[in-house]
Amino acid sequence: MLDELARHLPALTLVYSAFILAVASPGPSNLAVMATSMERGRRAGMTLALGVTAGSLTWGILAAIGVSALIAGHPGALHAIKIVGGLYLLFLAWRSARSAMRVDMPAPKAAVSGRRTFLRGYLMHITNPKAILSWTAIIALGLRPDAPTPLVHAIIIGCGLISLAINQGYAILFSSAPMIAGYRRIRRRAEAVLAAFFAFASFKLLTAQL
């Protein structure tokens, strides 16, 4: 098995490099991880990040077994996901805008640090058509018709670990004392920017031609 993977090392390197750039670049999911970590603490940020990674892995597995090809052949399914994702981003924009209008720092809520926070991260990523298309591209980039099964496993597991490391890293970094202190000073502006970003992403998603 190791010999097979060694033969496909250039393809794996390319896949991992592309995935690192995709996960680390600013987007709704990692921006939400940063904001949640600064506002509600490390545990909530890491829980949200875990949900994001679970959503990413879900699309990775579906892309690997060919469900993405099925979606590509049925535009209605992708349009439905696009609408759900756009409305969810709009909901996140409303939440951020409401927080930006508050003068005082919202008190941490222990209840959001568990299952609901994980589900929020999962839904945020699972309803993002960009994640579907990105994973389809990643799978296509690394696989060939004669690709062995271990290579598929290496792509899914490796990318899953990359997503976990980067998103958890964001949660840990942005929940540190200096980051939290800085966030308290610029909280309202940061939330306003986040609300504008979510609203813009929602608009682009709902009006995009797929």
Side-chain angles (χ1 to χ4, degrees):
M1 184 176 72
L2 292 178
D3 291 339
E4 282 186 317
L5 292 179
R7 288 192 297 108
H8 293 87
L9 189 58
L12 277 176
T13 302
L14 182 60
V15 165
Y16 292 159
S17 300
F19 195 75
I20 288 172
L21 293 176
V23 174
S25 61
S29 296
N30 49 26
L31 287 177
V33 169
M34 295 174 196
T36 299
S37 299
M38 290 187 289
E39 181 180 339
R40 303 198 179 278
R42 180 166 298 176
R43 181 181 175 186
M46 293 180 73
T47 303
L48 185 75
L50 195 60
V52 169
T53 297
S56 181
L57 273 175
T58 298
W59 281 125
I61 293 170
L62 293 177
I65 63 177
V67 173
S68 291
L70 179 64
I71 293 176
H74 295 78
L78 194 54
H79 278 288
I81 293 172
K82 181 186 73 169
I83 292 171
V84 172
L87 292 177
Y88 188 69
L89 287 172
L90 197 59
F91 168 71
L92 295 179
W94 172 77
R95 283 179 53 135
S96 296
R98 186 180 63 174
S99 178
M101 288 186 288
R102 292 189 57 174
V103 177
D104 58 317
M105 180 83 169
K109 299 178 182 178
V112 299
S113 296
R115 187 179 304 173
R116 287 176 57 192
T117 302
F118 175 87
L119 186 60
R120 178 189 167 200
Y122 184 81
L123 289 175
M124 187 186 308
H125 214 71
I126 205 69
T127 58
N128 183 2
K130 180 184 174 183
I132 311 170
L133 301 176
S134 296
W135 264 107
T136 302
I138 288 293
I139 294 296
L141 190 64
L143 296 184
R144 297 293 181 268
D146 60 341
T149 300
L151 179 61
V152 179
H153 295 164
I155 290 175
I156 299 298
I157 294 172
C159 288
L161 291 175
I162 289 170
S163 176
L164 182 67
I166 291 177
N167 285 302
Q168 294 294 326
Y170 276 141
I172 293 171
L173 175 63
F174 283 86
S175 61
S176 63
M179 284 290 185
I180 293 174
Y183 177 74
R184 287 180 181 274
R185 291 193 296 270
I186 65 167
R187 179 189 63 81
R188 297 184 70 190
R189 284 171 288 173
E191 289 287 356
V193 170
L194 196 61
F197 178 86
F198 281 137
F200 176 74
S202 174
F203 173 77
K204 295 291 289 183
L205 192 56
L206 291 172
T207 59
Q209 297 295 322
L210 296 182

